[in-house]
Amino acid sequence: MHGRLPPLTALRAFEAAARHLSFAKAAEELHVTPAALSYQIRVLEEHLATSLFNRLNRAVTLTEAGKALAPRAANAFATLAEGVRAVERLSDSSLTVTAGPAFTAKWLAPRFFRFASAHPDIELRFVASLRLMDFDRDGIDAAIRFGIIGDSPSVYSEVLIDEFVVPVVSPEIAETIKTPEDLARAPLFHDDSVAHLMPDLGWPAWFRIAGLGERPEAARGPRFSNADHAIDGAAEGGGVALARGSLAERDIAQGRLVVPIPIGITIPGRFRFVCKSGAERDPRIATFLDWLREEVTDIATLARRIDLRPMPE
């Protein structure tokens, strides 16, 4: 074997055809005619002096040689694509951050103008999603994720917020609530967004740590799949929400919400900043992370005003 690499165009045609097992679909993906794609694959087969496909009447399958080449070709093009994206990011002044919809709506979006004012050279882009994303494939620079996340050598992870929950109501309803018993008689909103992580966290747990024991009222009331909807409903005077401190802090600071009984529950779920290992040293990401560290101090200040207790057994 002479070891000389075949034409890149021929390899690209083969990789697409091997992935689709269809010359027609591969040609459509590469925006060429089926005849042009077939020609490129013949060029590759002549270069390698072996057949790569079994050409059947209505389909194609890979030969043993094709099976050997296909995964290596796919990996090679994936590596090339990653390299191109890396080069593009070097000259890109934007920073793409993903966070959950509730955190984006209640915490990030209301504050980002402060970052934009201080760092006009960095263009922030938010992707509000709970979907598990791939930094390279999805073009994500950093993520803010809530939950119980283990360490991994492939990512940099830093705790931003030690989370807790606390009752919140509108100022009008707060005037009628002086004791935990008063709160038990109010309409209760339930945030189901953390149920998959901490199924025992909710009003039953809060009433137990507040000394009221098991209360039948704890299971009643409307349920919300999004945390921000429960918080907004409480701010409008509809009832009492057991809200995460990070999501309610701004509304509390602005007077839209009040903590009528300052008893809260610490929870194991945390908000973390996550990026690819080593990317935390990227000037754009480092600047954004420094800004986050400063901004989250307001949540720690709120926490010091609350009698925080561990989740009951």
Side-chain angles (χ1 to χ4, degrees), residues 189-252:
F189 289 171
H190 300 266
D191 171 16
D192 289 340
S193 66
V194 295
H196 65 293
L197 290 173
M198 289 151 282
D200 296 329
L201 178 66
W203 282 116
W206 190 89
F207 284 127
R208 290 200 299 275
I209 70 162
L212 272 66
E214 300 295 332
R215 298 292 295 239
E217 302 96 325
R220 299 171 186 164
R223 313 193 75 88
F224 296 85
S225 60
N226 289 348
D228 53 322
H229 295 171
I231 292 171
D232 289 342
E236 293 298 325
V240 188
L242 191 59
R244 282 182 262 164
S246 61
L247 305 183
E249 183 276 328
R250 182 170 179 270
D251 286 323
I252 294 171

Side-chain angles (χ1 to χ4, degrees), residues 113-114 159:
F113 76 93
R114 294 207 286 259
V159 174

Side-chain angles (χ1 to χ4, degrees), residues 87-99:
V87 172
E88 289 174 342
R89 284 196 293 270
L90 289 175
S91 58
D92 188 0
S93 62
S94 67
L95 184 67
T96 302
V97 179
T98 182

Side-chain angles (χ1 to χ4, degrees), residues 95-115:
L95 184 67
T96 302
V97 179
T98 182
F103 190 79
T104 300
K106 301 300 292 183
W107 199 91
L108 268 178
R111 290 171 169 82
F112 92 95
F113 76 93
R114 294 207 286 259
F115 180 87

Side-chain angles (χ1 to χ4, degrees), residues 26-58:
E28 182 179 355
E29 176 186 313
L30 299 178
H31 304 290
V32 299
T33 65
L37 184 123
S38 296
Y39 170 76
Q40 290 298 332
I41 291 175
R42 285 199 303 273
V43 167
L44 181 60
E45 290 176 326
E46 290 173 2
H47 181 95
L48 297 174
T50 188
S51 295
L52 299 172
F53 290 97
N54 298 308
R55 293 164 173 82
L56 309 177
N57 286 337
R58 299 187 176 213

